[in-house]
Amino acid sequence: MLWLVIAAVSFALIVLLHTIFSGISPKTLIAETGLADTTKVTSAVASSIPMNFDVPKSFQAKTIKDATVPGAEKVIALTFDDGPWPQTTEQILDTLKKENVKATFYMVGQPLKSFPEIGKKVLADGHMIANHTLHHWYKKMSPLVAQREIEDTAKIIKEVLGVETAYFRPPGGVLTNGLVAYAHKQNQSVNMWSVDSGDSRPKRPSPEAMVKTILAEATPGGIVLMHDGGGSHDNTAKAVPEIIAQLRARGYKFVTMTELLEMASATPETPTAKALPSSAIN
């Protein structure tokens, strides 16, 4: 008899929590799931609560440009910088949703504050959120300014999206202007890239050129750099469907940075990024 009481109380608590977070009435929830099938209820509760993006311990305070995955499994991470941005971000999201691909978006604080609804759509579609500073500065910064660039963006991400992230990418790939030093002190994962699409250059490459570059440089455990914000990136939006199709044809599966590092944390080797010139544009 006691176990029935415990089960009833537990189920009531689950129903209450789900009601709070999802807005679905207890009556509807019980009618749809039934008392006996509580696994569906707990799963629904978990999916309704925003998750934080934590870094595996072996990659905390590390800078990486790619990752070694078990058995050289053919996985690759698509990443997008400088958004959220009108039109481009939404076009890319539409393609990712259609193709059932999850990506990682390195958001700049200012556009996230300006276009919060687009940022919310990125998260709602199941993509990973990462920090790309407040102003996207390349210049040398004092420890206090570097701290503010990262922490103010983290605050905006928390206020707008309700999540926290320990993944960071320095603008321009600059490793020596104070930002990376601060991120490492916070045990964050600093994420560079192994494949540069070239879409941030003043003369944007054509969609066909982007596809060709990415296919030529793709490797298992790689990180692909693209942009959805910081200006017009129509060519990037146009290239994404073919990038996905061609990589899939070569046997690749797509993962977020969290998934990539979780896979890589099972291997003893922790790769580190090669220093990029301060003139690198991102």
Side-chain angles (χ1 to χ4, degrees):
M1 186 66 181
L2 179 60
W3 72 269
L4 285 174
V5 174
I6 294 173
V9 171
S10 299
F11 181 73
L13 180 59
I14 291 170
V15 170
L16 176 61
L17 287 172
H18 191 271
T19 301
I20 292 171
F21 287 107
S22 71
I24 299 175
S25 70
K27 184 177 180 181
T28 301
L29 186 63
I30 294 171
E32 291 182 354
T33 61
L35 178 60
D37 193 4
T38 58
T39 56
K40 290 183 179 179
V41 181
T42 53
S43 177
V45 172
S47 65
S48 67
I49 303 174
M51 63 180 291
N52 293 328
F53 301 103
D54 299 320
V55 178
K57 188 173 182 180
S58 58
F59 285 93
Q60 293 176 7
K62 298 291 192 305
T63 298
I64 65 162
K65 68 176 183 67
D66 56 15
T68 302
V69 292
E73 188 169 351
K74 294 190 79 171
V75 297
I76 198 164
L78 301 183
T79 71
F80 298 90
D81 285 11
D82 300 356
W85 208 259
Q87 296 185 340
T88 310
T89 301
E90 294 164 300
Q91 290 170 1
I92 291 170
L93 287 176
D94 288 344
T95 296
L96 295 176
K97 188 171 187 177
K98 180 181 178 181
E99 298 296 336
N100 193 27
V101 169
K102 303 304 180 191
T104 304
F105 287 78
Y106 292 82
M107 294 188 176
V108 176
Q110 288 184 324
L112 177 57
K113 197 169 184 178
S114 298
F115 310 109
E117 295 308 315
I118 302 176
K120 290 176 183 177
K121 190 175 189 305
V122 174
L123 183 64
D125 282 359
H127 302 292
M128 182 183 154
I129 308 298
N131 190 318
H132 198 42
T133 75
L134 183 65
H135 294 103
H136 204 274
W137 288 336
Y138 307 146
K139 65 183 182 181
K140 186 75 174 179
M141 302 175 208
S142 68
L144 180 58
V145 172
Q147 177 182 349
R148 291 271 54 86
E149 280 294 301
I150 294 175
E151 295 301 338
D152 286 357
T153 303
K155 183 179 179 181
I156 293 171
I157 290 173
K158 180 68 173 178
E159 289 176 348
V160 174
L161 305 180
V163 298
E164 296 178 358
T165 182
Y167 292 79
F168 174 73
R169 176 172 283 165
V174 180
L175 300 174
T176 57
N177 62 357
L179 291 169
V180 170
Y182 179 78
H184 280 173
K185 286 181 181 178
Q186 304 307 307
N187 286 328
Q188 296 184 6
S189 173
V190 175
N191 308 149
M192 303 295 277
W193 55 88
S194 58
V195 183
D196 184 354
S197 68
D199 68 346
S200 64
R201 295 168 188 160
K203 184 177 181 181
R204 307 289 198 233
S206 67
E208 295 76 16
M210 288 181 59
V211 173
K212 184 177 180 180
T213 296
I214 290 171
L215 291 177
E217 298 180 7
T219 55
I223 302 170
V224 180
L225 171 67
M226 292 180 280
H227 293 76
D228 65 318
S232 174
H233 288 286
D234 291 340
N235 282 356
T236 301
K238 292 175 182 176
V240 170
E242 190 65 18
I243 290 167
I244 292 172
Q246 291 290 339
L247 287 173
R248 271 189 173 145
R250 297 188 179 195
Y252 280 95
K253 297 178 181 179
F254 302 96
V255 293
T256 65
M257 286 301 301
T258 298
E259 292 169 332
L260 181 65
L261 296 197
E262 285 175 349
M263 294 177 67
S265 65
T267 67
E269 180 182 355
T270 302
T272 56
K274 296 178 181 178
L276 298 183
S278 298
S279 59
I281 300 298
N282 176 17

